[in-house]
Amino acid sequence: MEKIFAGKNALVIGGSGGIGRAVALGLAERGARIVLHGGSSQERLDSALKLVRAAGAECTGFLYPADSAGPDIAAAEILSRVREFLDGAFPSILVCAWGPFKQGNIEDMGPEDWRYLIENNLTFPGIVVSSCLGDMMNKRWGRILLFGGTNTDTIRGFKTTAVYSAAKTALGALAKSVARSAGPLGVTCNVICPGLTDTEYTSEALRAYNSERSPGGEVLKPEDIAKIALGALENSTVNGGIIPVDRGLAF
Ligand SMILES: NC(=O)c1ccc[n+]([C@@H]2O[C@H](COP(=O)([O-])OP(=O)(O)OC[C@H]3O[C@@H](n4cnc5c(N)ncnc54)[C@H](OP(=O)(O)O)[C@@H]3O)[C@@H](O)[C@H]2O)c1
């Protein structure tokens, strides 16, 4: 495979498992030097590091549960750890994969639910993007990839995921704003909106739901999502994109 990201530093937040790990592996195969971030499982982080190193990439990683201290502190702490690994440099490829999910009727969502879902799915990635963007603009090169939710590629109504989906839909405005401000300086920012995707985090109940709801009963794999995500990272013509990868699923 062509090492088109040789010489580039990539940070994958939530890269120790699920969709983030599949994207990290693809970046490694394309020659990037990787910093993997994970939430709390040392075992999953170690296994992801092994996988990414086996692809020939220089790779390091660390754990930091980003919902523990508020999005501003989490973003600052994670970037400070990453810059230690990168001898003071900022990442020039930023993937923010982690995005916690909670279902519930909108009338049952309390202030804590609102805070948790908006802070971790919008404010946190937003602060990380703002913190890395100036450096990318100065260097005239940067790639940012964010993850929306299923069907959040446009404004829709959701019966049981209103708060999560509101935060994820807003990421589209963030990506388009970055593309508008920083696109002329060589920076791209896109949002991938996965369909129902089974990962190691999927419970049996959710696995059954995913299979029942997916077009043709075919549930997506992290690699299916990563393939399109990597295409968006590779091609600077894709900028401000909000890209559904869901086999046409519509709730
Ligand atoms: N899976 C789907 O069907 C689906 C559908 C639509 C959209 N999405 C979106 O796609 C993105 C990736 O989803 P995913 O299914 O791969 O799972 P995910 O749970 O969003 O991501 C897993 C990664 O996040 C880390 N993590 C877990 N808790 C954390 C915390 N408190 N702070 C920081 N990191 C934490 C995990 O580390 P540990 O292994 O240590 O826990 C792992 O590296 C998310 O933004 C999600 O909302 C997923």
Side-chain angles (χ1 to χ4, degrees):
M1 184 168 297
E2 198 190 340
K3 306 284 184 203
I4 62 162
F5 295 135
K8 304 294 185 194
N9 293 318
L11 163 63
V12 185
I13 296 178
S16 64
I19 296 170
R21 184 181 54 198
V23 174
L25 184 57
L27 289 170
E29 288 164 349
R30 288 160 181 75
R33 177 186 184 200
I34 315 273
V35 183
L36 281 184
H37 156 270
S40 55
S41 166
Q42 187 67 49
E43 196 184 339
R44 271 196 291 270
L45 177 65
D46 289 343
S47 125
L49 284 169
K50 209 168 155 188
L51 198 71
V52 168
R53 285 180 186 142
E58 191 186 330
C59 179
T60 188
F62 66 100
L63 297 173
Y64 185 89
D67 51 359
S68 54
D72 43 351
I73 293 173
E77 183 62 30
I78 287 173
L79 286 176
S80 142
R81 300 277 293 275
V82 169
R83 293 184 68 198
E84 265 173 44
F85 288 127
L86 299 178
D87 303 320
F90 278 95
S92 51
I93 301 173
L94 168 65
V95 177
C96 192
W98 173 60
F101 175 72
K102 182 175 179 183
Q103 276 186 301
N105 295 335
I106 189 164
E107 65 273 24
D108 298 328
M109 287 281 143
E112 272 311 307
D113 299 315
W114 274 95
R115 256 193 296 277
Y116 184 77
L117 289 166
I118 301 293
E119 283 188 354
N120 293 305
N121 282 299
L122 177 60
T123 313
F124 170 71
I127 293 172
V128 177
V129 167
S130 291
S131 306
C132 295
L133 190 58
D135 182 74
M136 292 179 182
M137 291 164 86
N138 286 338
K139 288 188 181 136
R140 301 286 193 272
W141 199 94
R143 295 284 179 271
I144 301 171
L145 183 73
L146 306 172
F147 281 89
T150 303
N151 281 183
T152 67
D153 52 304
T154 186
I155 296 178
R156 290 194 173 91
F158 295 85
K159 276 191 174 168
T160 62
T161 61
V163 183
Y164 166 85
S165 297
K168 292 294 204 181
T169 305
L171 291 177
L174 171 63
K176 287 191 183 295
S177 303
V178 172
R180 189 164 178 189
S181 299
L185 299 174
V187 181
T188 72
C189 182
N190 293 291
V191 181
I192 297 287
C193 297
L196 303 171
T197 309
D198 278 358
T199 69
E200 63 271 43
Y201 305 99
T202 309
S203 64
E204 274 315 307
L206 190 56
R207 207 173 290 277
Y209 174 92
N210 286 353
S211 168
E212 195 182 304
R213 293 295 179 98
S214 295
E218 267 194 84
V219 180
L220 293 157
K221 298 187 289 298
E223 296 71 29
D224 298 324
I225 310 300
K227 197 170 176 181
I228 306 303
L230 287 154
L233 286 164
E234 281 178 359
N235 292 287
S236 60
T237 46
V238 186
N239 204 356
I242 308 170
I243 305 162
V245 187
D246 60 10
R247 293 203 177 98
L249 170 69
F251 285 128

